[in-house]
């Protein structure tokens, strides 16, 4: 009987522990989902965030094939990405990644 009462009490506390309003609060304004035209315009005003892209993944696929002369004319970082070198950036910081994240 005691075990049954404890389970009922635990279940009651679990389902009543928080309200919907608590879950709707956003800890940071950047986590708000845009819902109005004003919200979407504010997103578009941040053009720098949308004008960057990560391209290392594309260089590491079979979507790109290069002749040897073209390969030799690439920067060392692009050559490293093309041949799947272990350290593509040669110890340098990835600016593209840091700007996006």
């Amino acid at each position: 009987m005691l075990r049954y009462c404890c389970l009922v009490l635990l279940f009651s506390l679990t389902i009543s522990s928080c309200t919907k309003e608590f879950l709707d609060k956003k800890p940071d304004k950047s986590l708000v989902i845009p819902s109005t035209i004003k919200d979407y315009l504010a997103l578009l005003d941040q053009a720098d965030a949308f004008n960057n892209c990560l391209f290392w993944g594309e260089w590491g696929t079979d979507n790109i094939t290069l002749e040897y002369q073209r390969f030799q004319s690439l920067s060392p970082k692009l050559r490293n990405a093309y041949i799947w070198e272990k350290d593509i950036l040669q110890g340098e910081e990835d600016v593209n990644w840091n700007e996006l994240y």
Side-chain angles (χ1 to χ4, degrees), residues 47-72:
D48 293 340
F50 294 107
N51 290 334
N52 294 318
C53 67
L54 298 173
F55 60 90
W56 295 121
E58 187 65 26
W59 278 95
T61 66
D62 61 353
N63 294 335
I64 298 173
T65 54
L66 299 175
E67 299 292 328
Y68 184 72
Q69 290 177 336
R70 177 71 176 122
F71 173 76
Q72 291 293 72

Side-chain angles (χ1 to χ4, degrees), residues 36-49:
T36 65
I37 293 176
K38 186 176 180 180
D39 295 339
Y40 287 107
L41 288 174
L43 278 175
L44 292 174
D45 286 341
Q46 299 175 359
D48 293 340

Side-chain angles (χ1 to χ4, degrees), residues 7-44:
L7 285 175
V8 169
L9 179 64
L10 181 63
F11 180 72
S12 301
L13 289 174
T14 303
I15 63 170
S16 65
S17 61
C18 66
T19 62
K20 184 166 175 38
E21 292 81 26
F22 173 77
L23 296 175
D24 287 340
K25 289 184 183 177
K26 303 292 183 196
D28 185 1
K29 189 162 177 97
S30 66
L31 299 176
V32 174
I33 298 172
S35 58
T36 65
I37 293 176
K38 186 176 180 180
D39 295 339
Y40 287 107
L41 288 174
L43 278 175
L44 292 174

